[in-house]
Amino acid sequence: MAGSIQNRESFLATLQEKLGSSPYEPYVAPTDLPMRHLSEEPIDELLKMAKKQAASVSANFLEITASELNATLADLISKAGGGQVLLPDDPQFAEFGVSVSTDKLVYWQKGAEHREENISNAQHANVAIAFAKFFLAESATIAVESSAGQGRSLHFLPTHYISIIPQSRVVPDMARAAQWFDANKTTGSAINFISGPSNSGDIEMELVIGLHGPLEINYVIVKNL
């Protein structure tokens, strides 16, 4: 039956017997330190921390209001050189009144039959724009969830990436984001944590930006969303 797990207990019991191990017990954290860490920091301090960390991961950091969002997106697209802009199939764009003005706008298409088309569009996109699920202030990291409306290619293949981050989604660190995903039993196919543009420092110990992904990432914090 699709979606079910059969004979799980008997399988685990046999495995434990063969390994000579004790029955599996869920991990229990010895302290609540991960959840107390930075828990009392006000949003202004988290944003200061995030801005400093964004510079260290070579990401651009902007703080704006909702009324400035569309103009900011237009300016970032222009600075990136225009070209094809890829958007997800995401109701948040309409919900928050986001309008992208360009004559080369393409959308992620839902359905397995559009897989190759979506990958091709992402490869040829100069700019992609998407909402972040969370923004981790401590590491300047966005959390994005793959779904029918936005696959992994949308976040990793375009040359320039713009992440729209409502201020309400700024959290101190990974622990807070992980707690939310665990509690809400998210149904996406993958959760990706992205810290700045792609880079590699393992080639002759020299940092290379944009080696296998976006050359540029813009974090756009929208204060009143």
Side-chain angles (χ1 to χ4, degrees):
M1 177 178 172
S4 67
I5 301 176
Q6 300 181 13
N7 304 316
R8 177 178 180 177
E9 297 306 321
S10 61
F11 170 78
L12 290 176
T14 300
L15 188 62
Q16 289 163 5
E17 179 184 356
K18 297 296 183 182
L19 294 174
S21 61
S22 58
Y24 166 77
E25 294 183 5
Y27 172 76
V28 178
T31 73
D32 64 346
L33 179 59
M35 299 311 298
R36 286 190 287 109
H37 178 58
L38 300 175
S39 62
E40 297 183 3
E41 291 291 339
I43 186 62
D44 287 346
E45 290 303 313
L46 291 179
L47 290 175
K48 286 181 183 178
M49 180 190 307
K51 184 176 183 179
K52 181 179 180 180
Q53 186 61 24
S56 71
V57 297
S58 303
N60 300 322
F61 186 92
L62 297 86
E63 295 179 63
I64 64 169
T65 63
S67 62
E68 299 171 311
L69 180 53
N70 288 333
T72 298
L73 294 178
D75 183 54
L76 289 174
I77 292 170
S78 176
K79 287 180 178 178
Q84 182 165 296
V85 178
L86 177 61
L87 299 184
D89 184 339
D90 185 348
Q92 293 180 99
F93 280 77
E95 179 184 349
F96 293 117
V98 179
S99 176
V100 179
S101 299
T102 176
D103 57 355
K104 296 182 179 180
L105 188 63
V106 294
Y107 287 89
W108 188 270
Q109 302 296 312
K110 290 183 177 179
E113 68 274 18
H114 297 293
R115 182 177 185 277
E116 296 304 322
E117 177 187 358
N118 285 328
I119 292 175
S120 177
N121 283 337
Q123 288 176 325
H124 291 92
N126 186 44
V127 180
I129 305 172
F131 276 84
K133 194 73 175 179
F134 289 106
F135 181 64
L136 319 182
E138 186 178 46
S139 57
T141 299
I142 54 172
V144 293
E145 186 177 7
S146 295
S147 65
Q150 53 175 26
R152 285 171 292 181
S153 300
L154 182 145
H155 307 291
F156 294 119
L157 294 185
T159 305
H160 302 268
Y161 186 85
I162 301 172
S163 179
I164 302 175
I165 306 165
Q167 183 175 283
S168 59
R169 301 181 190 178
V170 176
V171 296
D173 53 23
M174 180 80 73
R176 254 49 69 103
Q179 181 185 49
W180 186 93
F181 282 119
D182 181 59
N184 288 273
K185 306 303 179 186
T186 180
T187 58
S189 61
I191 300 169
N192 298 295
F193 293 90
I194 304 169
S195 302
S198 67
N199 65 76
S200 177
D202 58 3
I203 300 175
E204 297 182 357
M205 301 301 291
E206 186 171 331
L207 182 64
V208 180
I209 302 297
L211 187 66
H212 44 71
L215 295 172
E216 177 186 61
I217 283 188
N218 298 279
Y219 297 143
V220 181
I221 307 292
V222 188
K223 290 190 172 183
N224 53 339
L225 281 190

